[in-house]
Amino acid sequence: MKAIVDAISQVRGAFSLVMMTRDQVIGARDPHGFRPLVIGQLDKAWVIASETCAMDLIGATYVRDVEPGEIVIAGPQGLKSIKPFPVAPQSQCVFEHVYFARPDSYVFGESVNEVRTNLGNRLAVEAPVEADVVVPIPDSGVCAAIGFAE
């Protein structure tokens, strides 16, 4: 574990990592929490993924987010957490809600679908136009288009 902590402490920027050994799955999130990382459980196995929809797809139960600067180790002895890095100001990637994440996910504790729909509502208030059709481009804009149209 010392080698992982040493390596991660040299990285500057945004990251979420998932690594495997023979008998462990290790997840790490950057100290600012810029990118999401979640923990779930499938029967007695631990699951680590970038967003909650991965849990839904395999039938796992979402447990919690990996905290900014936290390293989690899932293995035969269960789930262990260490926080080896100094606390840093939190900063979340806006593109997770706008573009990257699937609409059926929860990212940073919020429904991606609801956030995108609310962004579309807000856009309609701030920049109204008369239109017969609202077309989302790319596909990640569907929720925002629905919010705009509402």
Side-chain angles (χ1 to χ4, degrees), residues 25-105:
V25 177
I26 302 162
R29 191 166 169 209
D30 74 88
H32 294 283
F34 197 69
R35 303 301 304 270
L37 195 62
V38 296
I39 303 167
Q41 200 161 18
L42 180 60
D43 300 321
K44 294 180 182 181
W46 292 99
V47 179
I48 302 173
S50 61
E51 52 186 298
T52 59
C53 68
M55 308 297 165
D56 300 334
L57 291 171
I58 63 171
T61 302
Y62 165 79
V63 174
R64 68 175 179 88
D65 285 12
V66 175
E67 294 177 19
E70 180 180 24
I71 298 174
V72 292
I73 305 99
Q77 283 72 36
L79 188 69
K80 179 183 173 189
S81 167
I82 61 171
K83 296 178 184 174
F85 310 110
V87 175
Q90 291 209 8
S91 180
Q92 299 170 343
C93 178
V94 67
F95 285 107
E96 291 293 341
H97 277 128
V98 173
Y99 184 69
F100 295 147
R102 284 178 31 151
D104 56 338
S105 277

